[in-house]
């Protein structure tokens, strides 16, 4: 995967969980857990951040920290700023709060790019009705060829008759693949109307008439957004859940 750069955006100013990248799980910063997970798949990992403290933490873990302007509007803009002058054909954006990202997730995104798709991501079947109904868990529906039709915080497709059956729903996992050119185009587009309503950045791609190829994988991931998530992640590391 010499033509691939994996970039982890990590903003220090999270409102829901202040200083999130540096919050510790079992004595190790969250961002270091993410770096170590990615380095099990690719040797060279970049972290795009607005914090010198984060740069110091990730470089001790073997990643390359790249300082980006704090005023950038999104993680994707931060990723592009970090790689815009680097000689990579494909870019994978791994969220900085995904300590349990797996090799199958990264490889699936990369393989979709190698097949010729400009934008790729992954999803996995839901396991519970409660998760399907949770607006923090993003749902995606696909066409017969694996291309995303829509992403939503609402349960889609809507079940008209009977109860929600989890196996009929796909949970989106927040890892994205881009060609270098498609990433440049993405950050040049204005925020879309659907993106603004749902607060889902990937809808910008669909609103601009582009395809997103979605690989369905077996295993889920777990993102850390809150203090409660941090406690659960620590239990997961310890094997208590």
């Amino acid at each position: 995967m010499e033509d691939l750069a994996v970039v982890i955006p990590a903003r220090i100013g999270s409102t829901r969980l202040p200083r999130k990248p540096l919050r510790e799980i079992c004595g190790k910063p969250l961002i270091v857990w993410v770096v170590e997970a990615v380095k099990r798949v690719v040797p060279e990992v970049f972290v795009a951040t607005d914090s010198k403290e984060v740069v110091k933490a990730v470089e001790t873990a073997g990643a390359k920290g790249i300082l980006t302007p704090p005023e950038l509007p999104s993680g994707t803009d931060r990723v592009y700023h970090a790689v815009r002058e680097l000689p990579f054909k494909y870019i994978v954006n791994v969220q900085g709060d995904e300590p349990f990202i797996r090799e199958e997730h990264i490889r699936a995104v990369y393989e979709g790019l190698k097949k010729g798709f400009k934008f790729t991501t992954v999803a996995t079947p839901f396991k519970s009705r409660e998760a399907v109904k949770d607006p923090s868990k993003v749902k995606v529906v696909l066409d017969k060829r694996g291309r995303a039709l829509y992403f939503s915080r609402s349960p889609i497709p809507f079940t008209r008759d009977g109860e929600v059956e989890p196996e009929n729903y796909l949970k989106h996992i927040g890892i994205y693949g881009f060609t270098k050119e498609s990433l440049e185009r993405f950050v040049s587009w204005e925020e879309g109307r659907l993106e603004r309503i749902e607060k889902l950045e990937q809808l910008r791609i669909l609103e601009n008439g582009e395809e997103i190829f979605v690989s369905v994988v077996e295993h889920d991931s777990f993102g850390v957004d809150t203090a409660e998530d941090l406690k659960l992640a620590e239990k997961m590391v310890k094997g208590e859940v």
Side-chain angles (χ1 to χ4, degrees):
M1 291 190 279
E2 296 83 5
D3 52 0
L4 171 68
V6 176
V7 187
I8 306 168
R11 186 171 66 92
I12 198 70
S14 170
T15 54
R16 298 183 68 187
L17 189 60
R19 295 177 58 80
K20 180 164 69 170
L22 299 175
R23 299 290 287 269
E24 292 189 348
I25 299 173
C26 296
K28 186 189 302 180
L30 169 60
I31 189 62
V32 172
W33 283 100
V34 183
V35 166
E36 291 178 349
V38 174
K39 281 185 69 66
R40 286 194 282 270
V41 186
V42 293
E44 194 165 28
V45 180
F46 301 90
V47 176
T49 180
D50 57 352
S51 165
K52 292 181 179 179
E53 289 180 88
V54 172
V55 168
K56 183 178 179 180
V58 301
E59 290 191 342
T60 61
K64 171 65 175 176
I66 301 175
L67 277 174
T68 56
E71 65 271 14
L72 291 175
S74 73
T76 309
D77 288 282
R78 210 169 295 286
V79 168
Y80 175 68
H81 191 277
V83 302
R84 67 195 191 284
E85 296 180 359
L86 297 179
F88 292 98
K89 184 176 182 179
Y90 304 117
I91 313 298
V92 170
N93 175 352
V94 173
Q95 304 298 306
D97 56 8
E98 292 277 354
F100 303 105
I101 202 74
R102 291 172 173 260
E103 179 175 353
E104 68 172 322
H105 303 145
I106 297 171
R107 288 197 176 277
V109 168
Y110 176 67
E111 287 166 7
L113 294 171
K114 294 290 284 186
K115 289 177 182 177
F117 293 100
K118 299 174 185 176
F119 302 93
T120 62
T121 189
V122 296
T124 192
F126 274 95
K127 302 297 191 295
S128 73
R129 292 187 176 94
E130 293 73 21
V132 173
K133 296 175 182 178
D134 183 349
S136 70
K137 307 293 190 294
V138 177
K139 276 65 70 172
V140 59
V141 288
L142 312 181
D143 69 12
K144 291 183 178 180
R145 297 177 297 170
R147 295 159 173 82
L149 293 169
Y150 193 65
F151 297 83
S152 182
R153 297 185 182 279
S154 296
I156 53 173
F158 174 76
T159 302
R160 193 191 71 169
D161 302 318
E163 181 58 270
V164 164
E165 296 300 335
E167 62 270 18
N168 292 331
Y169 295 82
L170 288 174
K171 178 186 178 224
H172 179 230
I173 298 172
I175 175 174
Y176 300 94
F178 306 86
T179 64
K180 183 78 169 293
E181 293 78 12
S182 65
L183 176 59
E184 183 174 13
R185 290 176 62 215
F186 179 90
V187 299
S188 74
W189 292 329
E190 294 183 358
E191 181 186 44
R193 184 178 67 88
L194 298 174
E195 174 188 4
R196 186 165 55 252
I197 294 169
E198 294 255 20
K199 296 293 187 287
L200 295 175
E201 198 177 24
Q202 64 269 38
L203 289 174
R204 190 185 312 178
I205 300 168
L206 300 183
E207 288 189 84
N208 279 278
E210 295 285 354
E211 297 177 335
I212 305 174
F213 181 72
V214 183
S215 296
V216 178
V217 297
E218 179 181 357
H219 296 99
D220 198 357
S221 186
F222 178 74
V224 176
D225 290 318
T226 65
E228 290 72 26
D229 291 341
L230 204 64
K231 293 175 183 176
L232 180 56
E234 186 146 330
K235 289 181 180 179
M236 293 169 69
V237 168
K238 293 177 178 178
E240 297 175 357
V241 293

